[in-house]
Amino acid sequence: MSETNSGKVKIELTMYGVAEILKWCVDKNNGRIPNVDTEGFKQMQAAIADKPEKGDYFTFDKFWKMSKVFEFTKDEVATIDRCLYDIPNFEGKQLPQIRYKFWPAQAD
């Protein structure tokens, strides 16, 4: 994780991590947490859209492990943090512990 001159934060994510973020921030959100339609989220959705339609195990494995650097605003980072921590709590579910593998801990 690094900060650019424009005040954005660069975070390297695997496609698996992107899919998990989109799952919690878009699919399971149901409008509970706003601002999930920003440029950073659109970039992640476009990256997932590149998923191969057909292929064998190794093709999909290679796609899900592929890393890409995304630029997020501070607000987008805060939104993703809220999605990964708050939405499971809204539903009374255990936090997705796997998030530590793909989403860096943010300094408050």
Side-chain angles (χ1 to χ4, degrees):
M1 181 172 68
S2 64
E3 194 166 327
T4 65
N5 291 340
S6 62
K8 291 191 172 189
V9 178
K10 287 186 176 186
I11 299 176
E12 184 176 353
L13 298 169
T14 63
M15 290 300 114
Y16 172 76
V18 171
E20 281 293 310
I21 290 169
L22 292 176
K23 171 183 151 186
W24 289 102
C25 292
V26 177
D27 300 342
K28 291 185 169 252
N29 189 353
N30 297 326
R32 294 179 278 200
I33 295 176
N35 303 324
V36 294
D37 58 351
T38 60
E39 187 62 33
F41 285 97
K42 289 177 184 173
Q43 288 176 8
M44 288 190 292
Q45 289 168 328
I48 289 294
D50 289 340
K51 183 178 100 174
E53 293 294 318
K54 296 180 183 177
D56 58 9
Y57 170 82
F58 297 105
T59 302
F60 288 113
D61 185 57
K62 183 179 174 186
F63 173 79
W64 291 115
K65 289 180 179 175
M66 180 177 65
S67 292
K68 186 174 178 181
V69 176
F70 295 91
E71 284 190 7
F72 299 105
T73 64
K74 299 265 187 199
D75 290 339
E76 289 169 336
V77 170
T79 298
I80 293 170
D81 278 343
R82 282 195 62 207
C83 290
L84 294 177
Y85 291 85
D86 292 351
I87 290 177
N89 289 334
F90 292 154
E91 297 176 353
K93 295 182 180 175
Q94 185 176 7
L95 290 175
Q97 298 303 317
I98 193 75
R99 72 183 181 277
Y100 294 117
K101 293 188 180 217
F102 63 83
W103 186 246
Q106 305 303 316
D108 291 333

